[in-house]
Amino acid sequence: MIGDIMNKILNGKELSKIIKQEVKEKILKISDTLKLVVIQVGDLEQSNLYIRNKQKACEEVGIVFELNKMSESIGELELKDQIEKLNSDPSVTSILIQMPLPKHLNSKIVNYIDPNKDVDGLTDINMIKLINKDSGIIACTPKGIMHILNHYKINLDGSDVVVIGRSHLVGRPLSNLLINEDATVTLCHSRTKNLKEHTKKADIIISAVGKSNLIDKDFIKEDSVLIDVGINFIDGKLIGDINYEDCFDKCQSITPVPGGVGPMTVASLLENVLECYYQQKKTV
Ligand code: NAD
């Protein structure tokens, strides 16, 4: 186990290095080339940054990376054609559509991706497999969070977990993964009447909102485990949803931002590139 001050800091950065090394070693044993194609529609600065991180991570472990940048005005039919070309190209083993998409495109467009190449695990088929505990591709951020909880031996069986945020990217798949591990899950969101009433009782709080300082020490009970998914840029500084300094003494353990969930999302993406390859091999 990666140790910090009595494992108080759940160190995603260090854990991600171990996972990347494991992926690298597995890839070295494969004679086929693994290739991830990222589709980007438009040119959002934030997306450019995330894509560069993915590219760097892929190159570190021996995955071929390709970026297909499309015009912001691309229509659904044209995008569908592009996806189908990649689906039928045997040299492409994984496909990812960088979110967010421009307003005129529905994010459900991911369903055109072959589920065995759906490296983000966002197609309906992979979501249903996740609910049913079938082997499929698990969404990267929830998978990374489960890695952190498992690595640091945080008990889920019977634990009260509050997940804040109900997106298809994080909150929903994560809630299902936690239920599958026998946690009692409360899924809070923007319409939750009294957030604090829920978080105060939670053994584990996982916040995926995108609102800085949403959670301070008044929202948590003693010795709770805090997982911060949020990404907020305040005065050029990256911070999460949870007020780290304020909660530090009261909680049992906490993920830092940066260096917590973020690197684990990227590490899980690399694992999923391998997983896609294995799934495709099974169906040949
Ligand atoms: P989203 O905008 O799709 O969902 C946000 C959720 O927060 C919604 O379900 C909404 O109901 C809820 N919400 C909004 N205000 C709230 C409030 N006051 N109280 C309770 N709930 C509230 O966002 P997303 O894609 O799920 O991402 C959430 C955050 O996580 C963002 O900051 C995003 O950048 C970050 N993120 C980080 C990683 C990572 O790897 N670290 C990965 C994905 C997303």
Side-chain angles (χ1 to χ4, degrees):
M1 193 188 295
I2 299 158
D4 281 289
I5 319 157
M6 310 223 322
N7 293 322
K8 181 135 196 170
I9 301 169
L10 306 174
N11 194 331
K13 192 172 175 193
E14 286 305 312
L15 180 55
S16 73
K17 286 183 191 162
I18 296 172
I19 292 175
K20 276 187 193 167
Q21 188 55 33
E22 285 169 2
V23 171
K24 192 174 178 173
E25 281 162 20
K26 285 182 185 158
I27 288 176
L28 278 173
K29 292 188 189 133
I30 295 173
S31 53
D32 298 310
T33 301
L34 304 192
K35 180 171 168 182
L36 168 66
V37 175
V38 171
I39 298 174
Q40 181 183 16
V41 183
D43 190 33
L44 277 181
E45 192 40 49
Q46 200 61 38
S47 295
N48 291 338
L49 176 73
Y50 293 145
I51 291 168
R52 277 199 297 275
N53 284 344
K54 286 168 189 165
Q55 176 165 12
K56 190 168 160 273
C58 281
E59 287 168 356
E60 273 169 27
V61 301
I63 295 167
V64 175
F65 178 93
E66 190 178 296
L67 174 62
N68 281 9
K69 211 162 181 158
M70 318 258 169
S71 147
E72 181 153 8
S73 60
I74 194 172
E76 179 167 338
L77 273 182
E78 205 185 326
L79 187 53
K80 175 176 174 262
D81 281 350
Q82 294 293 335
I83 295 168
E84 281 171 354
K85 266 191 208 142
L86 297 171
N87 283 344
S88 54
D89 180 345
S91 77
V92 176
T93 55
S94 296
I95 305 167
L96 182 155
I97 300 179
Q98 184 64 42
M99 298 292 170
L101 286 168
K103 292 254 175 319
H104 68 282
L105 294 170
N106 189 316
S107 62
K108 281 283 158 198
I109 209 150
V110 293
N111 281 312
Y112 292 124
I113 300 176
D114 174 345
N116 290 332
K117 295 190 179 186
D118 167 30
V119 73
D120 249 348
L122 297 179
T123 55
D124 290 347
I125 289 180
N126 278 317
M127 286 287 181
I128 290 167
K129 282 186 173 174
L130 181 151
I131 292 170
N132 292 335
K133 281 185 162 182
D134 285 344
S135 75
I137 311 297
I138 298 171
C140 300
T141 303
K143 182 170 176 162
I145 293 169
M146 297 306 283
H147 272 314
I148 293 176
L149 296 171
N150 286 334
H151 179 81
Y152 285 99
K153 300 190 169 35
I154 291 160
N155 177 53
L156 292 173
D157 189 345
S159 291
D160 291 317
V161 185
V162 166
V163 175
I164 317 172
R166 57 178 161 181
S167 72
H168 286 270
L169 193 64
V170 188
R172 285 173 202 237
L174 178 62
S175 298
N176 282 302
L177 288 170
L178 292 163
I179 291 166
N180 287 346
E181 295 300 321
D182 299 320
T184 303
V185 178
T186 306
L187 182 51
C188 296
H189 47 78
S190 54
R191 306 293 287 269
T192 297
K193 276 192 224 133
N194 189 341
L195 182 63
K196 197 190 274 188
E197 208 171 84
H198 298 284
T199 55
K200 280 273 264 190
K201 288 187 278 187
D203 301 310
I204 302 169
I205 301 170
I206 307 176
S207 184
V209 174
K211 200 168 174 215
S212 58
N213 296 322
L214 178 71
I215 303 298
D216 62 26
K217 67 174 183 300
D218 294 338
F219 278 71
I220 68 171
K221 70 172 186 182
E222 294 278 347
D223 294 330
S224 49
V225 173
L226 308 178
I227 307 286
D228 196 347
V229 188
I231 295 177
N232 307 287
F233 288 94
I234 306 293
D235 300 329
K237 196 174 163 237
L238 170 61
I239 59 169
D241 292 345
I242 300 175
N243 188 325
Y244 186 87
E245 284 77 23
D246 195 50
C247 294
F248 193 83
D249 287 338
K250 193 173 179 185
C251 70
Q252 178 194 302
S253 49
I254 184 166
T255 57
V257 178
V261 174
M264 288 304 298
T265 297
V266 178
S268 299
L269 173 75
L270 302 177
E271 283 189 314
N272 278 357
V273 173
L274 258 179
E275 196 54 45
C276 283
Y277 171 76
Y278 295 142
Q279 296 280 347
Q280 286 153 49
K281 281 277 159 196
K282 266 198 247 167
T283 55
V284 172

